[in-house]
């Protein structure tokens, strides 16, 4: 069941979303060669708690940390550890914050130092595919119109769209209905309505869309070892006009 949020609830989603947006912006300055993903996790957790929020990922279904840090061929759900980022890596950081009972969820992919033009292009196309998708996040459309727009854009560059992991509704819980694939035929699925809060999160691979889970039961990697990028925001459908992006400030 898709839970429609009232204006009062959307205001709370907005507050939670800004904690996430600002945390990403703050964290970006620390993403440099030599930093460990565990250090990034600590910095993010401290920041979120200082805002009076709770890092939603921590202990979520047993996840041990506050951010997911996924490097290069890791797609999502990478566990922070003592791995040091190296010049030329790309890293996806996914994080959530719960404030006054409502959740914001967003992901960004960063280059570490100087990265290859190919890696930068994957990051840019992944980000842009989100914006192509949310063009359709308005009343009168159906959910898969978003999915199809993401897929069409990403595949036009020869990239593939991960099938096994999808976006989701969001509110009091991080994962609510509906699941939101980043692929599929248009004009299917639920009709979009004002007050629907959605986490749209393209996961785009350089090579095959096939993925596998490492023996730690969390980290998802590309089967062919090629790069993967992730970009996500929590949005709210406002009506027939533009959706509002709740986890973005400025131009991240
Ligand atoms: Mg999400």
């Amino acid at each position: 069941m898709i839970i429609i949020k009232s204006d009062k609830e959307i205001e709370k989603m907005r507050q939670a979303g800004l904690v996430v947006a600002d945390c990403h912006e703050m964290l970006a300055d620390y993403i440099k060669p030599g930093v460990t993903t565990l250090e990034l996790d600590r910095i993010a957790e401290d920041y979120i708690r200082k805002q009076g929020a709770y890092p939603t990922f921590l202990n979520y279904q047993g996840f041990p940390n506050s951010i997911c840090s996924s490097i290069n061929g890791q797609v999502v759900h990478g566990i922070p550890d003592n791995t040091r980022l190296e010049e030329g890596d790309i890293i996806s950081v996914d994080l959530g914050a719960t404030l006054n009972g409502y959740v914001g969820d967003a992901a960004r992919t960063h280059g570490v130092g100087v990265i290859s033009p190919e890696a930068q292009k994957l990051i840019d196309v992944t980000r842009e595919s989100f914006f192509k998708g949310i063009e359709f996040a308005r009343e009168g459309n159906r959910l898969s119109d978003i999915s199809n727009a993401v897929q069409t854009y990403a595949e036009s560059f020869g990239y593939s769209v991960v099938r096994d992991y999808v976006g989701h509704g969001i509110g009091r819980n991080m994962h609510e209905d509906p699941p939101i694939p980043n692929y599929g035929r248009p004009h299917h699925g639920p009709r979009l309505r004002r007050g629907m809060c959605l986490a749209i999160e393209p996961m785009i691979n350089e090579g095959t869309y096939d993925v596998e889970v490492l023996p730690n039961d969390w980290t998802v990697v590309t089967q062919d070892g090629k790069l993967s990028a992730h970009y996500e925001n929590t949005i709210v459908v406002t009506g027939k006009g533009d959706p509002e992006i709740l986890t973005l400030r400025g131009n991240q």
Side-chain angles (χ1 to χ4, degrees), residues 167-180:
H168 48 92
I170 182 167
R172 282 191 168 278
N173 293 299
M174 179 157 63
H175 293 127
E176 295 184 356
D177 281 339
I180 310 173

Side-chain angles (χ1 to χ4, degrees), residues 144-145 147-149 151-152 163 181-188:
S144 83
D145 294 330
S147 315
N148 182 257
Q151 178 180 23
T152 302
R163 299 296 198 268
N182 296 298
Y183 58 91
R185 291 177 301 154
H187 318 313
H188 287 73

Side-chain angles (χ1 to χ4, degrees), residues 94 105 168 175 199 201 232:
D94 192 355
D105 180 12
H168 48 92
H175 293 127
E201 51 178 318
E232 173 184 30

